[in-house]
Amino acid sequence: MRTYILKRLLLIPVTLLGILTLNFIIIQFAPGGPIEHTLAKYQGMNVDSKSQFSGTAQLNSSSPSTSKYQGAQGVPPELIAELEKQFGFDKPAYVRFFKMISDYARFDFGKSFYQDKTVGNLILERMPVSISLGLWSTLIIYLISIPLGIKKAVRDGSSFDVWTSFLVILGSAIPVFLFAVFLIVFFAGGTYLQWFPLHGLTSDNWDSLSWSGKVLDYFWHITLPVFAMVIGGFASLTMLTKNSFLDEINKQYVLTAKSKGLTENQILYGHVFRNAMLIVIAGFPTLLIKMLFTGSLLIEVIFSLNGLGLLGYEAIMTRDYPVIFGTMYIFALLGLILKLISDITYSIIDPRINFDSRS
């Protein structure tokens, strides 16, 4: 196992390099960019009073322009050159790429184009929100889905299985954001009750609260967002658990164990559980990354939570390349590490699995 772990650790930098390279190439051909975004933002403004570019270049609608950038008609070349220097596009693409790789190897993600903060500080500021949503929702989903899936497998075809299947299908069919809107309308002062806050992860008087008060305030704020993510995410894991246990229950070794007089719990948790849980554990990294980023994006928007998902989305909309590449780098690194942890957990649960013997 040590050899396999060492190989996987050595592959992480190579994989990250491939991801960054591919996305850097795609960005070069993607329409729009920070310069176009800035030009569109400031086009038509009274530059004499509102220009932000040190007064050396002014927007002039009467100035001709042969620039390669969209929306640069009437913009003097001096302003285009200043924008290129500001965003680093005055250097060739290969120079920018190798500088990015060198900086990222030291976890230096540069500075945001539009916010007066480094990308590292932005990620650290937003990380607690995403981690809170991702970890709590993933933990609760597993605590609900695994026992429910096992019970559905044991009582397959019963009325309990039928009714819970209806709830599972309902949970998978309705989008997460609809659940979030429903919770806001009924429990966050939308129309009926006002039991929970509508935005933020903490109250305004957080600093003045006692230790126990801070804990209660934190869970008070996070209840509805996490509940919305759990409702939208537990369905697939429940059915995966059920089908995995059903597949194991029907195998020959279970019949042999029954013939030896073992009880149902001894068979289920002493033999079936270890084999059936392998496929469930395999999905943990994917589920956690989904909860941290893609799954929490709409939730962060609806509940006004400043997490990494919202940060990445805003960066894409404004073409803030340092933030885009920085968040992508962090999530790719987390995904690779979680996948390695998943493989290690495989071998712990089932010693028969030996990754070192792979060709």
Side-chain angles (χ1 to χ4, degrees):
M1 191 64 184
R2 293 180 180 177
T3 303
Y4 174 76
I5 294 175
L6 180 60
K7 289 180 180 178
R8 289 293 299 272
L9 290 175
L10 293 176
L11 279 174
I12 287 179
V14 179
T15 306
L16 290 173
L17 177 61
I19 293 173
L20 289 174
T21 303
L22 179 61
N23 284 274
F24 185 86
I25 294 173
I26 293 174
I27 285 294
Q28 305 310 305
F29 297 98
I35 293 180
E36 286 91 339
H37 179 80
T38 304
L39 290 173
K41 183 177 179 181
Y42 287 92
Q43 194 65 271
M45 295 177 64
N46 183 354
V47 194
D48 292 333
S49 59
K50 299 182 180 180
S51 176
Q52 65 170 10
F53 303 110
S54 66
T56 59
Q58 303 293 327
L59 285 175
N60 188 345
S61 59
S62 63
S63 300
S65 175
T66 58
S67 174
K68 60 184 177 180
Y69 301 107
Q70 296 181 3
Q73 292 79 7
V75 179
E78 294 82 5
L79 176 56
I80 301 297
E82 189 173 345
L83 286 173
E84 288 181 332
K85 184 177 181 179
Q86 177 181 334
F87 294 121
F89 289 101
D90 57 330
K91 301 179 180 67
Y94 70 91
V95 174
R96 290 186 278 118
F97 173 75
F98 286 114
K99 183 179 185 304
M100 181 183 70
I101 296 300
S102 175
D103 291 341
Y104 278 34
R106 304 190 305 270
F107 286 89
D108 180 7
F109 305 122
K111 192 174 182 179
S112 170
F113 284 161
Y114 307 107
Q115 303 183 55
D116 191 21
K117 294 180 181 179
T118 63
V119 176
N121 288 336
L122 286 173
I123 292 175
L124 290 176
E125 288 176 3
R126 305 289 187 99
M127 186 74 78
V129 175
S130 295
I131 290 179
S132 295
L133 292 175
L135 288 181
W136 282 114
S137 57
T138 303
L139 177 62
I140 295 174
I141 285 173
Y142 267 79
L143 290 176
I144 293 175
S145 299
I146 292 176
L148 180 60
I150 294 174
K151 195 170 182 71
K152 284 175 64 64
V154 173
R155 301 180 60 178
D156 183 44
S158 65
S159 57
F160 172 82
D161 182 41
V162 173
W163 282 106
T164 52
S165 294
F166 171 77
L167 296 177
V168 168
I169 293 173
L170 184 65
S172 62
I174 301 178
V176 176
F177 73 90
L178 285 183
F179 281 120
V181 172
F182 172 83
L183 293 174
I184 290 175
V185 170
F186 280 89
F187 300 106
T191 302
Y192 299 98
L193 304 174
Q194 197 169 358
W195 290 352
F196 297 95
L198 185 57
H199 60 84
L201 202 60
T202 57
S203 299
D204 295 334
N205 62 337
W206 166 266
D207 294 331
S208 62
L209 295 175
S210 62
W211 182 85
S212 59
K214 289 182 178 180
V215 173
L216 293 175
D217 183 75
Y218 167 76
F219 283 107
W220 182 47
H221 279 77
I222 207 172
T223 297
L224 291 187
V226 169
F227 189 54
M229 295 177 67
V230 168
I231 293 177
F234 85 100
S236 58
L237 185 60
T238 299
M239 297 308 299
L240 178 65
T241 304
K242 176 190 174 181
N243 293 332
S244 179
F245 273 81
L246 278 178
D247 184 57
E248 292 295 327
I249 287 173
N250 295 324
K251 289 185 177 179
Q252 184 64 40
Y253 74 89
V254 175
L255 298 177
T256 303
K258 288 180 179 179
S259 66
K260 291 182 178 181
L262 273 68
T263 64
E264 181 177 316
N265 286 337
Q266 288 176 327
I267 297 173
L268 189 63
Y269 296 104
H271 299 276
V272 175
F273 186 84
R274 174 179 294 178
N275 297 327
M277 284 299 294
L278 287 175
I279 191 172
V280 178
I281 292 172
F284 177 79
T286 303
L287 178 62
L288 182 55
I289 290 296
K290 177 184 176 182
M291 292 294 106
L292 282 173
F293 187 69
T294 57
S296 64
L297 173 58
L298 289 175
I299 298 299
E300 290 176 9
V301 174
I302 293 172
F303 288 96
S304 301
L305 299 173
N306 291 323
L308 287 177
L310 184 58
L311 176 65
Y313 175 76
E314 292 172 346
I316 292 173
M317 292 296 99
T318 59
R319 303 298 195 271
D320 196 344
Y321 291 160
V323 177
I324 293 175
F325 282 105
T327 53
M328 179 186 64
Y329 183 88
I330 291 298
F331 278 108
L333 180 60
L334 287 176
L336 293 171
I337 294 175
L338 288 173
K339 182 60 179 175
L340 176 59
I341 293 175
S342 175
D343 291 342
I344 296 174
T345 309
Y346 261 146
S347 62
I348 294 175
I349 292 178
D350 192 346
R352 296 173 299 174
I353 297 178
N354 185 4
F355 291 101
D356 288 337
S357 63
R358 286 181 171 182
S359 58

